[in-house]
Amino acid sequence: FFFSSRRRHTRYKVTGVQTCALPICLADCPPAMFPGDMEALRLTSALSKTLTVGPGGVELHGLPFGGPELLPLRKQIGERFRTLVKWDPDDLSILWIQNPLDQSWIPSPCRWHDYANGLSWNQHLLIRRFTRNELKLSGAYEHLWAARLRLHDHWLDATTRKSSADSLLAARDS
C-alpha cells in the first residue's frame, strides 16, 4: 500500500518487513526510556509552589506538613525561609521541600496522615469548597474529615439506584 505524507503529491512505498523510506523511520528512533525510580517520576510530575517554612513546618491549603526532618534545615538557614515545595496531585500524604543550599529534596509527611493518605489534590480542594464556612472556625481537621465523609455519602447516594419503594421507605423513616 502507499503512505501519503503531508506534502502534496509525495508518496512513499512501504512494503512488507523491509525498512521504509519515510523521512524519519521508526527503525532509527531509539526506544522509549522510562526512569528506573518511581520516586523520581513522582517528583518530576509533581505540582510545585514557593511556600514559607516556619517553626510549624509548611502549610499547603490547610494541610500541615513537617516534622523532625526539617529541624536541621531550619538550624542551617533560620526559623523562617521561603523555598520551593512539590506535591503529588494523586496523593497528598507527602510533600517534598527543596533545600535552598544544595537543591536536594526532603520528603515531609502530612501530620494529618489518616486524612491525607490517598487523597488527591482535586478531592482536597473539593472538600475545602464543600465545607468553606465551617473551616473558618477552629478545629479544621475534624471539619475536613467530617466533610470528606459527608461528600462521600453524597456521591454514593447520587449514584445508587433507587426505586419508588425505597423513596417511600426513606420518607417514612425520616
Side-chain angles (χ1 to χ4, degrees), residues 12-164:
Y12 300 98
K13 184 166 174 93
V14 180
T15 58
V17 191
Q18 300 171 352
T19 59
C20 60
L22 294 173
I24 299 175
C25 188
L26 293 177
D28 296 335
C29 293
M33 295 191 58
F34 300 102
D37 185 18
M38 287 305 289
E39 239 0 80
L41 181 62
R42 283 182 69 193
L43 191 60
T44 303
S45 64
L47 299 175
S48 63
K49 188 176 186 178
T50 302
L51 294 175
T52 300
V53 177
V58 179
E59 184 176 318
L60 178 69
H61 278 278
L63 291 178
F65 291 88
E69 70 276 354
L70 297 178
L71 188 59
L73 188 60
R74 287 192 4 244
K75 282 183 179 178
Q76 288 177 347
I77 298 173
E79 281 296 312
R80 292 188 171 277
F81 61 93
R82 290 185 61 80
T83 188
L84 185 67
V85 298
K86 287 190 168 197
W87 65 94
D88 184 0
D90 295 326
D91 186 12
L92 288 178
S93 62
I94 292 182
L95 180 82
W96 292 280
I97 301 169
Q98 188 177 39
N99 184 342
L101 302 176
D102 63 1
Q103 309 304 319
S104 64
W105 293 98
I106 302 167
S108 180
C110 181
R111 291 198 301 262
W112 295 347
H113 183 71
D114 51 348
Y115 170 75
N117 190 25
L119 187 72
S120 75
W121 176 245
N122 288 333
Q123 287 172 334
H124 176 63
L125 294 180
L126 184 66
I127 290 168
R128 281 183 60 88
R129 243 181 268 128
F130 187 69
T131 183
R132 181 162 303 207
N133 294 333
E134 295 171 5
L135 289 178
K136 294 178 182 174
L137 307 172
S138 62
Y141 171 72
E142 290 83 13
H143 289 295
L144 278 174
W145 188 250
R148 181 179 182 181
L149 293 176
R150 281 196 340 254
L151 192 61
H152 180 267
D153 291 341
H154 173 75
W155 284 111
L156 191 64
D157 288 343
T159 57
T160 57
R161 179 168 255 178
K162 295 180 182 163
S163 66
S164 59

